Amino acid sequence: MNTNKIELINGSVNVTVHKNHFREDDSSYAKVKRNTAGMNNVIATILQRSSLVDKATLVATQMLFKDAVLELLQQGVSVNLFELGTLYPSAQGSIENENPSVEEIPALALGFTPSAEALEAVRKTDISVALQEETMPVINQIEDLATHKTDCTVTNGMPVRITGRRLKIAGDSEKTGLFFAPQQADGTIDTTESDWIRIDEHKFFKNTSTYLELILPDSFESGNHFSLVVRTAAGRGTKINKTIRSLVYEKTVTIA
């Protein structure tokens, strides 16, 4: 351990509230963001509270404890860590043979069960901030790959790159997609969606959370103005959410 890094750490708990997209009701769940203290921080906290033991002794003791715990775990023994919880070996994975040999037993993993005292300490933690999760699609830039212009002017029949976050198009094809909504003279769009133009999936050559790349239809007329609409039910990885998230891009897209 580098004793120069023995320093106090300020702890705080921030909670992010996430919409549960796998349910159709308004339920949400919380994820905790927190700082992680190392043994150097633990030693610094002890030194602040007590002068009975010096830094060098604490560092040496910590290293001895670590080696001893690892040795016991290697023997297959569960270890109670300072009455805060128990580290224990556990078997994971399936075994197809009813009478397996030792070689067929899956490699052991490590589990941890917190003690009632540790759980009570966590329950007393003050939550500093509760933030709503950002879930809506975000467009940062639209680039015409033929001219490399990024002023939202795009060319008929040419490739376009849309950069942002949470853009991946997925879900029911009748409800999701990338749409070009023609703007009326006052800049508004038809809310009935009767004149919206949906880009077919085969027009995309990249469809990810951060990039949409597609070939524009060559049927757009030069000088037309559109609002770009993204609707998607994409979840994490390949999951599809029950709810659809929608974005109407605030900048006007113009056909060159």
Side-chain angles (χ1 to χ4, degrees):
M1 176 186 293
N2 186 348
T3 57
N4 293 327
K5 292 186 178 181
I6 293 178
E7 56 189 7
L8 295 171
I9 186 173
N10 294 320
S12 63
V13 175
N14 296 338
V15 171
T16 304
V17 180
H18 297 253
K19 166 71 177 173
N20 190 341
H21 296 288
F22 297 101
R23 298 181 58 176
E24 295 181 346
D25 57 21
D26 294 327
S27 63
S28 300
Y29 61 95
K31 285 187 175 181
V32 176
K33 294 184 177 180
R34 69 276 181 188
N35 294 328
T36 300
M39 283 306 302
N40 57 320
N41 306 122
V42 174
I43 290 173
T45 303
I46 295 173
L47 292 173
Q48 184 189 42
R49 295 187 174 188
S50 175
S51 59
L52 296 177
V53 185
D54 59 79
K55 182 193 297 185
T57 301
L58 285 173
V59 171
T61 302
Q62 178 266 327
M63 296 174 67
L64 290 172
F65 267 107
K66 175 184 174 182
D67 290 342
V69 169
L70 291 175
E71 182 177 338
L72 290 169
L73 289 174
Q74 192 171 359
Q75 296 173 18
V77 176
S78 298
V79 180
N80 187 324
L81 295 176
F82 312 110
E83 305 301 327
L84 298 177
T86 301
L87 280 172
Y88 60 90
S90 63
Q92 296 184 345
S94 60
I95 304 173
E96 297 181 0
N97 190 347
E98 292 184 358
N99 297 300
S101 63
V102 173
E103 290 76 16
E104 293 176 287
I105 302 297
L108 296 182
L110 191 63
F112 180 77
T113 301
S115 67
E117 186 177 3
L119 290 173
E120 182 62 25
V122 171
R123 292 190 186 102
K124 294 178 180 178
T125 302
D126 292 328
I127 297 175
S128 303
V129 179
L131 301 173
Q132 192 69 30
E133 177 201 21
E134 291 186 13
T135 60
M136 294 299 106
V138 175
I139 292 178
N140 294 329
Q141 180 178 276
I142 298 176
E143 180 183 358
D144 185 322
L145 295 179
T147 64
H148 296 292
K149 290 183 178 180
T150 56
D151 60 355
C152 290
T153 300
V154 294
T155 308
N156 270 345
M158 293 296 161
V160 171
R161 174 184 294 144
I162 302 171
T163 308
R165 302 191 303 277
R166 299 179 288 276
L167 294 175
K168 183 178 180 180
I169 305 297
D172 187 337
S173 61
E174 295 185 0
K175 299 178 181 178
T176 65
L178 177 67
F179 301 87
F180 281 75
Q183 290 185 352
Q184 301 173 23
D186 59 359
T188 61
I189 58 177
D190 180 5
T191 56
T192 69
E193 306 179 15
S194 60
D195 58 355
W196 289 19
I197 302 167
R198 184 179 184 274
I199 305 300
D200 293 333
E201 285 83 354
H202 70 269
K203 295 286 187 179
F204 287 90
F205 50 92
K206 182 169 288 187
N207 181 13
T208 69
S209 178
T210 53
Y211 289 103
L212 296 178
E213 294 184 356
L214 60 141
I215 303 294
L216 287 184
D218 55 13
S219 57
F220 289 156
E221 293 186 10
S222 178
N224 281 2
H225 303 292
F226 294 91
S227 289
L228 204 59
V229 181
V230 176
R231 288 180 177 170
T232 179
R236 294 183 181 276
T238 59
K239 293 181 179 178
I240 304 298
N241 297 328
K242 290 184 177 295
T243 56
I244 294 175
R245 294 167 285 117
S246 181
L247 161 74
V248 179
Y249 190 43
E250 70 273 10
K251 296 182 180 180
T252 298
V253 176
T254 301
I255 306 299

